[in-house]
Amino acid sequence: MSTAALSNGRNDPLLLAGRILTFLLQAVIALGVLALAIATPIVIFARDMISAEIIAKHGDSVAAFPAFQIAVILVAAIAALALIFLFFGKLRALIESVGIGDPFAPENADRLSAMGWLAIGVYALSAVIAGLAFTVSEWAQQLDDVEFDFDVGLDLTGILMIIILFILARVFRHGASMREDLEGTV
């Protein structure tokens, strides 16, 4: 590979923006995981204190604080964020390989496929979170000053992204195979 091609890929503003954005997103996600990891034991161990505060404000008719459901939501959110963190790590590695001029490396096909599976995992965890959030929203309806608007729907954009990732993985795998065949004949 020529030095000019290597430097052009390294100086490409779009690739630079992709590197910076994926790094920043991973940093924000890591902070989110940390915050949720701190909140989860607080919800569990302070449930009696939280329940007492709710009863003091809303009366004895309020059902028990759903600490277990909220803790499971937080743990599922941590898992989803971890998968998203890995997703952006794969994307950043893919961007790096494009920057060095080797987009049709077999590793990129594997990265795209892994990104598809990670997206499926996030989608599944989102369904779990939505189901548990519905039970928490039913509990929250008892509270006088809490308004909880809950809307869950099918995310066709997410499904389309997953399909595109798996198709791109096949395209990249085929491109890598064609490159290997071409290099073998030269």
Side-chain angles (χ1 to χ4, degrees):
M1 167 156 303
S2 73
T3 314
L6 181 64
S7 66
N8 285 342
R10 288 284 180 201
N11 296 328
D12 184 315
L14 186 58
L15 294 178
L16 179 61
R19 284 186 201 104
I20 292 169
L21 187 59
T22 53
F23 177 79
L24 290 175
L25 286 170
Q26 281 189 301
V28 169
I29 290 167
L31 287 173
V33 167
L34 179 63
L36 292 174
I38 291 169
T40 303
I42 291 172
V43 166
I44 293 169
F45 295 119
R47 70 180 175 268
D48 293 335
M49 186 173 63
I50 295 169
S51 289
E53 287 286 327
I54 292 170
I55 289 170
K57 186 170 183 177
H58 298 283
D60 291 337
S61 64
V62 176
F65 175 68
F68 177 74
Q69 290 93 332
I70 292 174
V72 173
I73 290 171
L74 294 175
V75 169
I78 289 169
L81 286 175
L83 294 180
I84 295 168
F85 182 90
L86 294 172
F87 181 95
F88 283 115
K90 299 285 184 194
L91 180 58
R92 196 174 66 228
L94 194 135
I95 291 168
E96 286 297 323
S97 73
V98 171
I100 61 172
D102 196 18
F104 288 107
E107 299 83 26
N108 282 344
D110 295 339
R111 287 178 184 127
L112 286 164
S113 184
M115 288 167 67
W117 287 110
L118 290 166
I120 288 173
V122 170
Y123 204 85
L125 286 167
S126 296
V128 170
I129 292 168
L132 289 168
F134 181 73
T135 64
V136 172
S137 73
E138 288 179 337
W139 172 84
Q141 298 297 328
Q142 305 174 78
L143 308 177
D144 298 332
D145 59 346
V146 175
E147 191 170 316
F148 205 101
D149 187 21
F150 193 75
D151 184 27
V152 175
L154 186 62
D155 180 19
L156 294 178
T157 306
I159 293 171
L160 181 62
M161 182 187 74
I162 291 167
I163 292 169
I164 290 170
L165 285 168
F166 283 120
I167 290 171
L168 283 174
R170 287 185 180 184
V171 168
F172 272 64
R173 196 165 281 115
H174 186 68
S177 175
M178 288 175 60
R179 188 182 74 180
E180 287 175 11
D181 289 347
L182 182 64
E183 289 174 355
T185 60
V186 175

